[in-house]
Amino acid sequence: MNRSLPLFRRSILDGWRGLVGWTIGILVALFLYLPLYPSFGGNGQMQQIVDTLPPELVKSLNYDQIGSGPGYAQATFYGLIGFVLLTIAAVGWGTEAIAEDEENGQLELTLAHGVLRGQILAERTAAVLVKLAWLAIVSVAVVMILNEPAELGIEFGNLVATAVAFLGLVSLAATAAIGVGAATGRRTWAVSAGSGVAVFAYALNALGNQSDDLAWLHDWSPYSWAYGDSPILNGWNGTIWLNYAVIAALLAVGWFVFRRRDIAV
Amino acid sequence: MTTDTGAAVSTRGLTKRYGATTALHGLDLDIPRGSVFGMIGPNGAGKTTTMRLLLDIIRPTAGELSVLGRTPRDGGAELRRRIGYLPGELHLGTRVKGREFLAHYAEISGPVRKGAVDDLADRLGVDLGRPVRSLSKGNKQKVGLIQAFMHEPELLVLDEPTSGLDPLVQQEFHAMLHEAKAKGQTVFLSSHVLSEVQQTAHEIAILKEGRIVERSTVADLRENAVRHVKLVVAEADAASARSTLDALPGVAGTASVANGPGTVALTATLDAHVDAFVKAVARLDVVDLTMEEPDLEEMVLAYYGTDLSSTAEPVDTDRKAAKR
C-alpha cells in the first residue's frame, strides 16, 4: 500500500519480456555493424562504395560522413537502424500506455481505483521513457566496448550527447503516441501519430539534405534537431533539447484532454 | 454541490449525452446506505452509463451526483478507494498470474486485509496461480469480483455481476452480498433480468431508454403482481361462490370451467388484495384452492416493451419520484 509508483512498476514488470527482446535487437545490430568499420570504412573501401551511389541517396541516408569512425556509427546505427528499431519500440509502448489499454477495456478498471488520471499518464510515460533510456544506455555501453577494437575513435562525451539526442528523437515518437492516445483513446490514432512523427522527421531531414534550397526544411525536422549539428563529432548543442521541449508540450496537451474527457466510450 | 442526504448514492436530474444521443434523461435516484439496490433494464437502458458516472470514468452532461457524500469528480482517488467496481465488460488480457494481478489492484485500492484475496478465491473457486488471460470467462468474472470485494469497500458497484457464473457460484455470490449488507456495505448492482437481483436486492429500479420507469421493492412488486387463482367448490355452492368472488376488490375475469363430477372450478385473476380474498373464500366450502406464484419476470418484461412507453413519460416518472 505504501510502496510508491504502483503503475510505473506494473508497466515495467508487464513489459520486461519485450524490453529483453529489444535489448537483444540493439546488441545484435551494434555487434553486426560496428566491427565491420575497420575492414570497410577505415581503409576507404566504404567511401569508394558510397562514391558510386547516387548522391541523392547518400544524402538521404546520411552516409556522407561514413568514412570516419564517428560518422560510421552515426550513419549506420544512430541515424538509421537504431533509429528505426527504437522508433518501433517507442510507438508500440506509447500506444500501449493509454490508447490500447483503453480500447481493450482495462483502463476503465484501473481508473475505477484509487489513482488519478494524471498519475496514470505520468507513471506510464515514465515507464516508456525509462525503457527507451535503458536501450540508449545499452547502445552507449556497446559503442564504448567496441570503440577500440573497431577503431571508431568516438569521444565519450560526444557519444553521450548523441545518445541523449537519439533518446529525445525516439521519445518524441513515443510521447506523440502517448499524448494522442491520451487525448483520443484510439489505438490507430496513437500509432499513426507516433509513426507519423518519426517518418515526418526523417523525410524532412532527407529532403533538406538534397540541396541548399531545401535546407530550411531542417529547421522543422526533429531528426535534424537531434543530429543536424553532428553531436557525435561536435558534442552538445542546443537543438538537441528542442525535442524534449516538444515532448513536454505533447504530454501537457495529452494530460489536459485526458483528465477532462470520458473514458472508454 | 450536492448535499449529503445520508444516501450512499444520490442523483438529481442526472443527464448524460453522447453527441446527439441521450443515454440518461434526468435520473433521480437515492440508494440508502447499507442497502442492496438492483437496477434492471434491457441492453442500452443506461445501466452501465449510470455506474460509470459514479466512478468518474465518464462525466455527467447535467444534473447532480453524490457518491458517499462527494461528487465523483471532487472525491477523486480517495473516494474511489472506498468503492469496489466490477465493469460490465471485463476484459482481462494480461499474462500475469491472478494473484499478482490482484496484488497490483490491491495497491491502488483501499487497504486489503491479509488473506482476504485467498478467502474470496476459495469461496468462488478460482485458481489464482494461472495467467489471467488463460482463464475462462466465468473465472475472469470471479477475478473481477475479487478485486471489487477484497478491500471491503463501503460501496460496491457491480455491473451485471453474475454474467458467466454457474448457478453454484451465483449462490455463493448471493451469500457474499448478504454478508456485505450485514457488514453495512451498500451494494448497487445491475442486471437485464429480475431473477438475478430479486434474491438479494431490497429495492429495485427499472430503467428503460435512460429513464426510470418503475421504482419499487421486490416485496411490493410481488404484492402488486397479478396472480392466477383457481377455486374448486361443490356444484351446489357454485353460484354463491361466484357472487362472493365478484364482490371482492381486485378480482377480475371470473369464469367457470368444467371440473370433475359434482364440483365446479372458478378461475380469476387477483391483483393484490390477497388477504381479503383468502378471508372471503374461507367462509365457503372449499374443495380446492390454487394460487399461482406471480411471474415477476413477465411483469418486468412488460416494462421493457414499447407498448408501455406511454406510461413512461418523464412527467409521470417525475411525479412518482416526487411522491417518494
Side-chain angles (χ1 to χ4, degrees):
Chain A
M1 218 58 47
N2 300 317
R3 296 169 68 198
S4 54
L5 303 176
L7 300 161
F8 172 78
R9 278 185 285 112
R10 187 70 257 157
S11 293
I12 296 287
L13 285 172
D14 279 344
W16 72 267
R17 282 182 186 81
L19 186 58
V20 169
W22 286 108
T23 305
I24 292 169
I26 297 299
L27 290 175
V28 168
L30 286 165
F31 278 105
L32 277 180
Y33 273 94
L34 297 188
L36 293 178
Y37 175 69
S39 55
F40 242 153
N43 60 12
Q45 211 180 331
M46 190 66 174
Q47 198 59 54
Q48 285 168 20
I49 296 171
V50 167
D51 288 343
T52 65
L53 295 172
E56 291 81 7
L57 180 65
V58 172
K59 284 172 184 166
S60 295
L61 292 172
N62 307 296
Y63 273 13
D64 30 5
Q65 293 184 339
I66 209 160
S68 76
Y72 180 81
Q74 170 63 37
T76 56
F77 183 78
Y78 288 107
L80 198 61
I81 190 77
F83 168 67
V84 171
L85 285 177
L86 257 74
T87 297
I88 294 170
V91 173
W93 291 334
T95 305
E96 273 172 23
I98 304 289
E100 201 167 312
D101 199 41
E102 179 168 349
E103 277 202 5
N104 72 26
Q106 209 168 313
L107 184 66
E108 178 184 0
L109 185 63
T110 303
L111 271 177
H113 286 79
V115 291
L116 296 169
R117 295 189 186 185
Q119 181 190 355
I120 289 184
L121 186 65
E123 291 193 29
R124 290 189 175 168
T125 301
V128 172
L129 298 186
V130 163
K131 289 197 281 187
L132 290 173
W134 160 255
L135 295 177
I137 290 168
V138 167
S139 78
V140 169
V142 174
V143 171
M144 284 322 290
I145 290 168
L146 293 174
N147 203 18
E148 292 262 314
E151 300 163 26
L152 295 169
I154 297 171
E155 281 180 33
F156 180 70
N158 293 350
L159 180 61
V160 172
T162 304
V164 170
F166 176 52
L167 180 61
L169 180 58
V170 295
S171 297
L172 182 69
T175 44
I178 294 170
V180 170
T184 65
R186 297 282 183 266
R187 196 179 162 278
T188 44
W189 290 31
V191 171
S192 308
S195 43
V197 161
V199 169
F200 169 83
Y202 190 84
L204 223 56
N205 180 71
L207 281 173
N209 288 349
Q210 299 304 324
S211 72
D212 287 344
D213 287 345
L214 293 172
W216 62 272
L217 289 171
H218 287 150
D219 294 347
W220 298 96
S221 165
Y223 187 99
S224 310
W225 298 341
Y227 299 140
D229 287 332
S230 297
I232 203 149
L233 290 171
N234 307 321
W236 299 97
N237 67 76
T239 60
I240 288 174
W241 304 109
L242 213 49
N243 278 324
Y244 289 90
V246 178
I247 285 169
L250 279 170
L251 290 175
V253 171
W255 170 76
F256 185 81
V257 180
F258 186 50
R259 65 193 297 265
R260 274 165 180 76
R261 72 179 174 90
D262 292 342
I263 300 298
V265 290
Chain B
M1 188 172 146
T2 313
T3 49
D4 186 359
T5 55
V9 174
S10 177
T11 76
R12 289 292 173 272
L14 187 63
T15 302
K16 180 63 190 174
R17 275 191 283 274
Y18 299 110
T21 329
T22 304
L24 283 182
H25 298 264
L27 206 67
D28 293 334
L29 189 69
D30 284 300
I31 302 177
R33 281 187 198 250
S35 69
V36 179
F37 190 96
M39 181 177 260
I40 52 181
N43 299 329
K47 305 187 296 291
T48 298
T49 298
T50 307
M51 291 185 159
R52 283 180 170 171
L53 285 165
L54 304 187
L55 273 302
D56 197 38
I57 291 160
I58 55 175
R59 272 63 187 265
T61 310
E64 294 183 5
L65 172 60
S66 159
V67 179
L68 301 173
R70 308 281 302 271
T71 67
R73 189 80 197 263
D74 295 340
E78 190 213 326
L79 174 62
R80 288 192 293 274
R81 283 179 199 279
R82 298 159 64 195
I83 307 175
Y85 175 58
L86 176 72
E89 281 180 46
L90 189 63
H91 298 278
L92 304 176
T94 173
R95 73 168 95 206
V96 304
K97 297 194 170 76
R99 187 163 284 109
E100 199 186 333
F101 175 82
L102 290 167
H104 167 62
Y105 281 107
E107 277 194 90
I108 55 172
S109 60
V112 176
R113 180 175 53 80
K114 206 172 183 311
V117 168
D118 287 322
D119 289 350
L120 286 165
D122 284 345
R123 288 188 74 169
L124 295 169
V126 57
D127 180 3
L128 295 182
R130 289 181 56 192
V132 173
R133 70 174 176 189
S134 73
L135 296 173
S136 67
K137 178 175 167 20
N139 281 326
K140 281 182 184 163
Q141 187 77 359
K142 292 174 192 173
V143 171
L145 283 171
I146 294 173
Q147 65 79 32
F149 276 82
M150 64 185 175
H151 55 299
E152 295 178 15
E154 286 169 62
L155 173 65
L156 282 155
V157 179
L158 311 172
D159 197 354
E160 309 214 351
T162 51
S163 96
L165 299 182
D166 66 54
L168 275 177
V169 180
Q170 287 194 21
Q171 266 188 359
E172 193 58 47
F173 168 70
H174 288 144
M176 282 161 59
L177 289 188
H178 283 301
E179 285 162 33
K181 186 177 187 305
K183 278 187 267 186
Q185 292 170 271
T186 309
V187 183
F188 179 29
L189 72 164
S190 76
S191 176
H192 51 274
V193 285
L194 179 67
S195 59
E196 283 181 11
V197 302
Q198 70 177 18
Q199 291 184 48
T200 42
H202 178 241
E203 211 179 331
I204 59 155
I206 300 174
L207 205 62
K208 188 195 165 198
E209 289 166 8
R211 292 186 175 93
I212 292 177
V213 291
E214 179 65 40
R215 202 175 331 201
S216 175
T217 64
V218 173
D220 278 347
L221 208 60
R222 186 168 285 133
E223 196 184 307
N224 296 324
V226 172
R227 291 158 175 80
H228 293 276
V229 293
K230 186 176 157 191
L231 177 70
V232 181
V233 292
E235 228 164 339
D237 299 332
S240 70
R242 180 147 194 164
S243 59
T244 306
L245 289 191
D246 285 342
L248 281 173
V251 172
T254 316
S256 305
V257 289
N259 206 49
T263 56
V264 169
L266 299 168
T267 61
T269 58
L270 179 63
D271 144 24
H273 305 99
V274 175
D275 187 58
F277 176 84
V278 171
K279 281 175 178 152
V281 298
R283 290 193 289 272
L284 299 168
D285 206 0
V286 177
V287 175
D288 193 11
L289 173 64
T290 316
M291 190 177 291
E292 282 176 24
E293 190 184 359
D295 189 347
L296 299 188
E297 204 72 64
E298 198 176 286
M299 200 176 151
V300 167
L301 283 176
Y303 282 108
Y304 292 10
T306 44
D307 53 323
L308 267 131
S309 59
S310 56
T311 63
E313 286 305 307
V315 184
D316 195 27
T317 315
D318 288 347
R319 202 182 60 229
K320 270 186 180 171
K323 265 199 313 203
R324 279 168 197 271

